[in-house]
Amino acid sequence: MRPWTLPSPTIGQPLQQLLARDALYPMLAALLTAPLLAFITLGELKPLAQWQGTDVLAEGGMATMVGVWLVYVRASRPAGRVTHWLVLGLAAMLVGEWVDALDEVWRLPKDMLWDNALEALTPLGMLALTVGLHFWRQEQRVLARQLAQRERFFRDHRAVDRVTQLADAGYMAQQITLERGLGRSGCVLMLGFDGFAHLAREQGLQAADRALEAASLTLQLNLRPQDLLCRYAGDRFIVLLPGCGLAEGECMAAELQAALAQLTLNLHDGRRVRLPVRHALRATSGTQPPEQLLLDLLQAL
């Protein structure tokens, strides 16, 4: 039986254009300015003694925070179905909360109901935001499968290397500590190229970065789902192999070393080269600090 899912509604092309990054903020400015001018023109400013300070701060603060959330979401995500639903929901909530805040300061005639209709945008925006969060959850499940060999149990963007998009040595040390705490055996493997520093000096940092990207992708394709790949420094990669003894780890190390050794690097001058690869392997068990364990691997390499 297939799990129940929400339908996948599409947002029309005109609305997508309005939610584009360069058009969104002018549109929101107009949507917020129009109710303000309407309240000033048609309404009556309440005496200061009738203002409910708590309500004014609460409604105004809510509108401000929703606006901040909207800016962060649109600035940090590319366009797409998830982004459109999130932005649409937050924009509707922003307008509804803004009108609700203005209603605390101005008094409109009783026969005017348009402000109530605009305030009703808040729950409608919550509904659209919920739809966006549902699609965001589906998106995150796909991304989590793609990143399984890079982050394992938790995510920390501060530990991600810019070039390879892999976590760093500090993250690997945390994972080794976690494995020890759970009482599980395993191995840590370090791999590196011979002559990579000379290649970087000769071809430049851009060519070296491309080689590191290709190496990280090659390793990921040859790892098991439960393995973790990180970048130590330079051309040194470290792999956590949970549940592996030293004998099995050596077999996997030989396979990964062979895969990297077959990697062809395309240079600026048209040459295609392959660099020799070395590896070092250690068990994760023991009382040695993880940082020292990684340093020992580096020295052995």
Side-chain angles (χ1 to χ4, degrees):
M1 181 177 179
R2 297 181 60 186
W4 179 83
T5 58
L6 286 173
S8 301
T10 57
I11 298 181
Q13 188 66 26
L15 186 55
Q16 289 187 25
Q17 294 175 355
L18 285 176
L19 297 182
R21 191 173 302 176
D22 55 348
L24 176 64
Y25 300 127
M27 179 195 71
L28 286 177
L31 289 176
L32 297 180
T33 303
L36 177 61
L37 294 177
F39 270 92
I40 295 175
T41 304
L42 304 175
E44 175 188 358
L45 187 65
K46 294 180 181 180
L48 188 60
Q50 296 183 10
W51 288 21
Q52 299 294 327
T54 303
D55 291 343
V56 172
L57 288 176
E59 302 297 344
M62 180 62 72
T64 301
M65 293 309 301
V66 172
V68 171
W69 299 340
L70 175 58
V71 171
Y72 269 100
V73 168
R74 192 61 193 93
S76 59
R77 288 188 54 88
R81 181 178 65 172
V82 176
T83 302
H84 290 155
W85 277 108
L86 293 177
V87 169
L88 181 64
L90 289 171
M93 290 175 61
L94 175 60
V95 174
E97 292 293 343
W98 173 242
V99 173
D100 202 10
L102 294 176
D103 204 31
E104 299 292 335
V105 180
W106 275 276
R107 181 183 297 108
L108 290 175
K110 296 294 184 180
D111 57 343
M112 291 188 179
L113 301 178
W114 56 266
D115 60 323
N116 294 329
L118 290 179
E119 290 179 19
L121 288 174
T122 299
L124 293 177
M126 291 181 179
L127 179 61
L129 181 62
T130 302
V131 174
L133 290 174
H134 173 77
F135 292 137
W136 173 79
R137 177 176 175 271
Q138 294 179 342
E139 176 188 80
Q140 289 302 305
R141 292 172 65 182
V142 174
L143 293 177
R145 288 195 295 268
Q146 294 177 348
L147 297 175
Q149 293 171 338
R150 303 185 186 187
E151 59 185 15
R152 297 190 85 204
F153 304 123
F154 60 91
R155 183 172 297 169
D156 187 353
H157 69 279
R158 297 169 298 178
V160 175
D161 171 58
R162 176 189 60 83
V163 176
T164 61
Q165 300 301 304
L166 300 175
D168 58 14
Y171 187 86
M172 175 61 76
Q174 294 175 12
Q175 293 297 308
I176 294 174
T177 301
L178 176 63
E179 290 294 307
R180 289 176 175 176
L182 296 174
R184 296 192 296 217
S185 62
C187 295
V188 184
L189 167 68
M190 183 174 289
L191 299 125
F193 292 102
D194 274 341
F196 188 84
H198 175 73
L199 174 71
R201 287 193 300 268
E202 181 184 79
Q203 298 293 320
L205 292 179
Q206 187 174 4
D209 288 348
R210 286 201 307 270
L212 291 174
E213 291 178 32
S216 67
L217 291 174
T218 300
L219 290 172
Q220 289 177 65
L221 289 173
N222 287 274
L223 289 174
R224 304 172 303 172
Q226 67 267 33
D227 298 333
L228 172 67
L229 174 65
C230 296
R231 183 186 179 191
Y232 185 81
D235 61 302
R236 300 322 194 210
F237 294 92
I238 40 179
V239 183
L240 177 62
L241 303 171
C244 274
L246 286 176
E248 184 181 358
E250 281 291 352
C251 292
M252 294 188 63
E255 293 175 0
L256 293 174
Q257 181 176 349
L260 274 188
Q262 293 298 315
L263 180 63
T264 302
L265 306 179
N266 297 303
L267 306 183
H268 290 310
D269 54 12
R271 288 184 296 144
R272 293 162 57 85
V273 301
R274 292 176 178 173
L275 296 178
V277 180
R278 290 182 292 169
H279 80 268
L281 185 73
R282 294 287 187 276
T284 57
S285 59
T287 59
Q288 188 180 34
E291 295 81 5
Q292 186 59 48
L293 174 61
L294 296 178
L295 282 175
D296 288 349
L297 281 169
L298 180 62
Q299 293 173 359
L301 197 64

